[in-house]
Amino acid sequence: MRVNPFKVLAACAAQWSRYRSLLDPAATRVLGQRLAELRTDGGDRDAAADRAAQTLLDALPPDAAAALREDGAQARFSGSPSAVLHQGYGVQDLCMLVLDSNPMVGPVYGPVRERLLSEPAAPWHEGGDPLLIVLSGDDGRRRVPLFQFEAGTMPWQVVLDVNSVLRADLDPWGAADWWLSDSTWWQSTPASLLGQGRDVELCGAAGALVSMDTGE
């Protein structure tokens, strides 16, 4: 059966929670290497996609591999690989899932990711404060939203406090969305209140949100 490797990889992204459980750590590691080759600029992207798709199909149980082949059974696509989608997922989504553990993929979370990444940001450098929100895009590059800084590289203390409450280390996207989305508390974004003497309110609102989520 002739398959489009980009479609196979996109279909895997659409059901990654299922296929991830069927791959052993060694296979996942090799798949990551193949996807990293595919993500890099230059070279033969079709050949890189073929290698990644074949690695995936070879590592899966026969029935799961057959299902992916069915999803990818179509003539080769000569346009942009990013235009090859399965249920709204593309090969770039699988790259983010496997290489970056980035859950913000697909037709629902992808637009949220792009909205948050459109905010001013700076490249992330190792050694930065672990309480800062760090986000990564479809290129895999990590960046730090600049709203978190009072001046230069000095973060707002209230940002670090709120990020700790929101567990930004575990869910940076959720924390970023809280800061950068209009709030019913203030009819503006929490980030817009930084430096306005509203630190106690910000901490209180973050604490209330966490309490609601945990049922405390």
Side-chain angles (χ1 to χ4, degrees):
M1 179 188 299
R2 187 180 187 188
V3 299
N4 181 325
F6 294 102
K7 191 71 179 292
V8 167
L9 298 171
C12 180
Q15 302 180 67
W16 176 237
S17 60
R18 174 198 175 196
Y19 290 116
R20 176 178 55 188
S21 68
L22 300 176
L23 296 170
D24 63 40
T28 302
R29 185 168 55 254
V30 176
L31 175 61
Q33 294 170 353
R34 298 291 179 262
L35 291 173
E37 296 169 2
L38 177 57
R39 174 185 267 178
T40 56
D41 293 333
D44 188 339
R45 288 180 61 82
D46 286 346
D50 275 330
R51 290 192 294 271
Q54 195 60 56
T55 295
L56 175 62
L57 294 171
D58 289 345
L60 288 172
D63 58 338
L68 271 185
R69 286 192 176 92
E70 286 288 341
D71 288 332
Q74 65 177 51
R76 287 188 177 275
F77 184 82
S78 59
S80 169
S82 63
V84 180
L85 301 177
H86 181 82
Q87 298 176 359
Y89 290 78
V91 64
Q92 69 277 7
D93 292 314
L94 186 61
C95 289
M96 285 185 279
L97 287 165
V98 177
L99 298 176
D100 313 318
S101 297
N102 186 346
M104 303 299 287
V105 300
V108 175
Y109 295 113
V112 178
R113 180 191 75 239
E114 293 306 313
R115 173 172 61 82
L116 295 176
L117 290 176
S118 70
E119 296 289 335
W124 166 254
H125 298 291
E126 293 299 331
D129 195 304
L131 290 176
L132 289 171
I133 294 168
V134 182
L135 307 177
S136 59
D138 57 9
D139 56 4
R141 293 175 182 153
R142 306 178 76 200
R143 59 210 79 183
V144 188
L146 290 179
F147 77 84
Q148 300 177 100
F149 298 96
E150 180 176 5
T153 59
M154 180 185 300
W156 296 97
Q157 183 58 49
V158 68
V159 166
L160 301 182
D161 293 341
V162 168
N163 286 353
S164 178
V165 171
L166 297 178
R167 298 306 308 269
D169 56 330
L170 299 179
D171 183 14
W173 297 98
D177 193 43
W178 184 86
W179 279 109
L180 297 170
S181 297
D182 286 340
S183 168
T184 55
W185 287 59
W186 305 289
Q187 303 303 316
S188 61
T189 67
S192 70
L193 303 182
L194 292 169
Q196 297 187 24
R198 313 286 288 274
D199 293 4
V200 173
E201 292 178 54
L202 289 167
C203 289
L209 176 65
V210 172
S211 295
M212 289 173 54
D213 289 343
T214 59
E216 296 180 357

